[in-house]
Amino acid sequence: MENFIYYTPTKIYFGKGEEDKVGKIIKAYNVHKILLVFGSGSVKRSGLLDKVEKLLKEEGLEYIEFGGVTPNPELDFAYKGIELGKKEGIDFVLAIGGGSAIDTAKGIANGIANPEDDLWDYHLKKKKPSKTLKKGAILTLSAAGSEMSDSSVLTNTKTHSKSGYNHDFNRLDFAICNPELTYTVSPYQTACGAVDIGMHTIERYFAIGNETELTDEIAEAIIRISFKYGKLSYLNPNDYNARAQIMWCSSLSHNGLTHCGKGFLLTVHQLEHAVSALYPNVAHGAGLAALWCSWARYVYKSNIARWSQYSSSIWGLDVDPNDPEEAILKAIYLQEKFYQEINMPIGLKELGVKESDLETLALMTSKNKTRTIPGYKPLGFQEVLDIFKLAYNND
């Protein structure tokens, strides 16, 4: 079991009506002016934005709206938020929405606090922020886990690059998680969220590392529950218990808990980032579903023991030690079937990806053949291209 540091300073307010406390929560930070970061209008249509603003006014707090965050949030939009924040003297950033709003808010908070830096340099690993603003979130979509993660992912539309960076300054001070606020999320986006939640833990589960029994069992529980309640949330959007279970899975899947004692790199995420950077209309969770089963079939032989454990612990299969591949391939098939049951794609054609773009996607993922993604089976340019081809032909 490898050395690790586990740091999760975000305070979670979980349950019905917890958003009613937002004014009092923020007032305790002794702030001057708040930037409200949100998407294209759902928080307005639902009345949540009006409610939040009323609660802030009741506490005498100043705020300014900054709406328009898109799925696969864009760097240029974060730049605009940074400039607005500096102009308005913002010292607290509140995201209202899902991972896109939260990741944008993180970038804005770091950018305002470090005006001498270019935000994109953090994503390029050229610099690290030296300070940040206080920030929080009201979660309206269970998916990215950004409410408790140290990650922020943005897309540079000029270079068609989608990249994340991890830093403790990306940790929110608080997150309000009321499952009722996710009732209006569409079935498709609910399914995309369930895929992303499961994948955050699945990819950690297959990261390099041994003798992590407790971490593994926590991960297995989160994976199983995310599948079970992700489907129930998809089928019955107003099922509070299902929404609550999947929302808590979202937070625990991406806060560092499920890779304690082992390596960490979200491999399939790296492939998907290329897809949704080149095809911005591709929902992140859908892209992951379209790639995972092909990746699994390509790499499983490199760690039969781990895949045998996954087949048994997640899918309840009996694994014959003399012929484990039969159970492993069945487990991959069952996961593929699960994705289809919640209307998720299992191949790149379903996303409108062109065969002529597969090599471009492999070049983007491998950074023009200069990067090999580590793992039990390392993935260089050719291996990544092979996976994209498998995913393209998987239908």
Side-chain angles (χ1 to χ4, degrees), residues 139 141-147 182 189-204 219 221-227 229-230 233 242-255 258 266 269 284-285 288 338-339:
L139 190 64
L141 172 64
S142 302
S146 191
E147 66 274 10
T182 68
Q189 287 299 329
T190 297
C192 286
V195 173
D196 197 14
I197 291 165
M199 203 68 69
H200 281 147
T201 299
I202 292 167
E203 295 204 64
R204 287 171 165 88
I222 291 173
I223 295 166
R224 289 194 303 269
I225 291 170
S226 70
F227 287 168
Y229 288 102
S233 296
R243 291 287 193 180
Q245 300 296 332
I246 198 71
M247 179 171 270
W248 191 223
C249 282
S250 170
S251 298
L252 296 186
S253 70
H254 204 27
N255 73 352
T258 56
L266 302 181
H269 271 67
H284 177 57
L288 292 171
F338 165 73
Y339 290 151

Side-chain angles (χ1 to χ4, degrees), residues 70 111 164 193 212 236 261 280 329 348 381 393:
T70 58
T212 53
N236 186 1
L329 290 171
L348 291 176
F381 166 78
N393 292 304

Side-chain angles (χ1 to χ4, degrees), residues 24 40 65 147 149 153 161 227 255 346 385:
K24 289 182 170 55
S40 58
E65 294 182 3
E147 66 274 10
S149 80
V153 179
S161 301
F227 287 168
N255 73 352
I346 59 167
L385 180 58

Side-chain angles (χ1 to χ4, degrees), residues 40 65 69 78 127 132 139 162 226 243 313 318 337 352-353:
S40 58
E65 294 182 3
V69 177
K127 285 187 175 181
T132 191
L139 190 64
K162 185 175 181 179
S226 70
R243 291 287 193 180
S313 298
D318 292 326
K337 184 179 178 183
V353 172

